[in-house]
Amino acid sequence: MTAQSREQSSRIKGHRRAAGRVDSTRRGASGRTAETQQQPRGGRIAVPGDERQGQCGSQQADRGEAAEICDTSPPGPTALSPPYHPEHIMLDAFIMGCIQSIACKPRIRRENIVVYEVSASIDQCPTIIEENSPIVLRYKTPYFRASAGVVMPPVPRNETWVVGWIQACTQMEFYNTYGDIGMSSWELPELREGRVKAISDSDGVSYPWYGNTTETVTLTGPTSKPSRLTVSMNDNFYPSVTWAVPISNSNTPMLTHITRDQSFITWLVAMNSVTKTVRWRMRVDIAVEPDMPLGSRASLVGRPYQEQPHILNYQEPIPPNALGRPNANDAQVLMWRPRRGAPLVVIPPK
């Protein structure tokens, strides 16, 4: 196995582990416990000027009768956490909007949504370095965790709403230095060149959501009582970095330094509106002595603990391109940048 093929298996992030729960006390009109449903995958992302956005377009309901796709929310601020300025997310109504009868009544009002016990933190532990393999170094960062309770008003029949977390990467520097030879770097070209402000950090299936387990809850009407639910998510890095130069067939350790600095925005979304905005950052700085025996080469330098996330007292809009494909893992490219000579693409974007 060459160093290049080994690097192929390492993308920006490691495995995601689900966390949190859905409150089991949510009940529908029939008295049955409301169950979490997996939201529809894929779907069209509406853009400014889309004729279907904010309109009622004729559709066929499951029962074959006429139905309309409706924007059920009134304009104006909500009563969540003043001052509150709802930022409308331009998503296909089948994903986050409602499908209801042609009468378009009753309607859910956004100001009736209550968000409580919002938390965001990064575990207070240092990044763990693993030197178990003669081929790659691995490191595991502490987890970023976010959780919130949401009380949703009763949902009318033929309406389906999704509440959950959306995340996007807004900045990334990820360099692996190999002495005086050069460095490899994972890059997001559109982000690095300023063509976009953020790139989706979805799991690659549940767009625009970060995931579809504890990260989202789907409410399907009719429900006669308010629904109390909890949505949570977590994220961390667990990549592999080759000891040897990634474009070389040699297994000689040459890695001397790893630098990573990555920023994210995480949004809590309900009824097509941002209800909470969290900004967080993860930094890694590892010095490596390649001539030392395996198991004693790498050490953390710089700050041992991460800066804690910031829950903003205002809501930031979600850039439209951060709601769909590609996600960060698919958009990234691995470059080799030698000290002398032209850069080389080692792994292209998917």
Side-chain angles (χ1 to χ4, degrees):
M1 177 183 291
T2 67
Q4 176 176 343
S5 63
R6 291 190 297 269
E7 195 81 28
Q8 178 77 45
S9 64
S10 173
R11 306 299 287 184
I12 282 183
K13 294 202 178 169
H15 299 292
R16 292 177 177 168
R17 297 180 181 176
R21 62 179 178 84
V22 176
D23 196 306
S24 60
T25 61
R26 295 185 294 109
R27 294 185 178 274
S30 64
R32 295 181 296 106
T33 300
E35 297 180 353
T36 303
Q37 301 180 18
Q38 181 171 327
Q39 56 98 200
R41 296 180 177 179
R44 184 175 59 82
I45 303 297
V47 296
D50 191 317
E51 294 179 354
R52 292 173 57 186
Q53 181 65 24
Q55 298 183 12
C56 289
S58 178
Q59 299 286 332
Q60 287 299 114
D62 292 339
R63 294 180 289 115
E65 64 183 15
E68 295 189 346
I69 301 174
C70 306
D71 181 355
T72 62
S73 60
T78 73
L80 290 176
S81 52
Y84 176 76
H85 305 286
E87 302 292 348
H88 295 281
I89 300 173
M90 295 173 291
L91 296 177
D92 190 280
F94 285 108
I95 299 178
M96 296 177 64
C98 70
I99 302 176
Q100 65 184 60
S101 68
I102 198 167
C104 281
K105 63 179 183 181
R107 294 188 173 189
I108 298 179
R109 300 174 66 87
R110 285 194 179 95
E111 57 263 41
N112 292 334
I113 300 173
V114 178
V115 178
Y116 64 98
E117 294 182 357
V118 179
S119 65
S121 63
I122 296 178
D123 294 348
Q124 287 293 293
C125 59
T127 294
I128 298 173
I129 301 173
E130 298 178 1
E131 295 188 38
N132 303 320
S133 167
I135 307 300
V136 295
L137 173 151
R138 302 197 74 187
Y139 63 85
K140 185 177 183 179
T141 67
Y143 278 92
F144 162 78
R145 305 179 190 273
S147 178
V150 181
V151 178
M152 289 287 289
V155 178
R157 68 186 183 94
N158 294 338
E159 287 190 18
T160 298
W161 291 99
V162 182
V163 179
W165 295 101
I166 294 174
Q167 181 165 282
C169 175
T170 58
Q171 174 263 341
M172 183 176 76
E173 297 177 1
F174 189 177
Y175 306 116
N176 306 313
T177 304
Y178 294 84
D180 294 332
I181 302 173
M183 69 177 184
S184 65
S185 62
W186 283 106
E187 301 174 6
L188 296 168
E190 289 189 334
L191 195 62
R192 180 173 57 85
E193 296 166 8
R195 287 180 282 161
V196 298
K197 294 182 178 180
I199 291 181
S200 170
D201 198 31
S202 169
D203 61 5
V205 176
S206 310
Y207 293 101
W209 309 103
Y210 181 75
N212 61 8
T213 53
T214 64
E215 299 86 359
T216 59
V217 173
T218 301
L219 296 176
T220 301
T223 61
S224 61
K225 298 179 180 180
S227 299
R228 184 181 297 269
L229 53 97
T230 299
V231 285
S232 61
M233 61 164 286
N234 60 49
D235 193 7
N236 82 323
F237 307 152
Y238 193 17
S240 300
V241 181
T242 57
W243 295 110
V245 174
I247 62 169
S248 170
N249 290 324
S250 170
N251 289 326
T252 303
M254 301 295 291
L255 180 67
T256 55
H257 208 105
I258 298 172
T259 302
R260 185 166 184 171
D261 186 351
Q262 203 161 344
S263 299
F264 300 87
I265 304 181
T266 306
W267 296 273
L268 177 63
V269 176
M271 292 186 66
N272 294 9
S273 288
V274 174
T275 61
K276 286 295 176 183
T277 304
V278 179
R279 280 186 171 270
W280 63 282
R281 181 180 185 182
M282 192 77 77
R283 287 181 281 186
V284 177
D285 196 1
I286 299 174
V288 182
E289 298 182 48
D291 296 331
M292 295 293 289
L294 183 66
S296 57
R297 294 173 183 168
S299 60
L300 285 178
V301 293
R303 57 188 301 164
Y305 303 110
Q306 302 294 326
E307 178 184 352
Q308 288 301 303
H310 299 281
I311 302 175
L312 306 185
N313 57 8
Y314 60 92
Q315 311 315 328
E316 293 195 8
I318 304 179
N321 64 282
L323 296 170
R325 300 177 188 276
N327 68 352
N329 277 350
D330 290 346
Q332 67 183 325
V333 57
L334 179 64
M335 298 293 299
W336 170 251
R337 298 186 178 277
R339 181 63 61 90
R340 289 177 290 274
L344 175 68
V345 176
V346 180
I347 301 176
K350 290 184 179 179

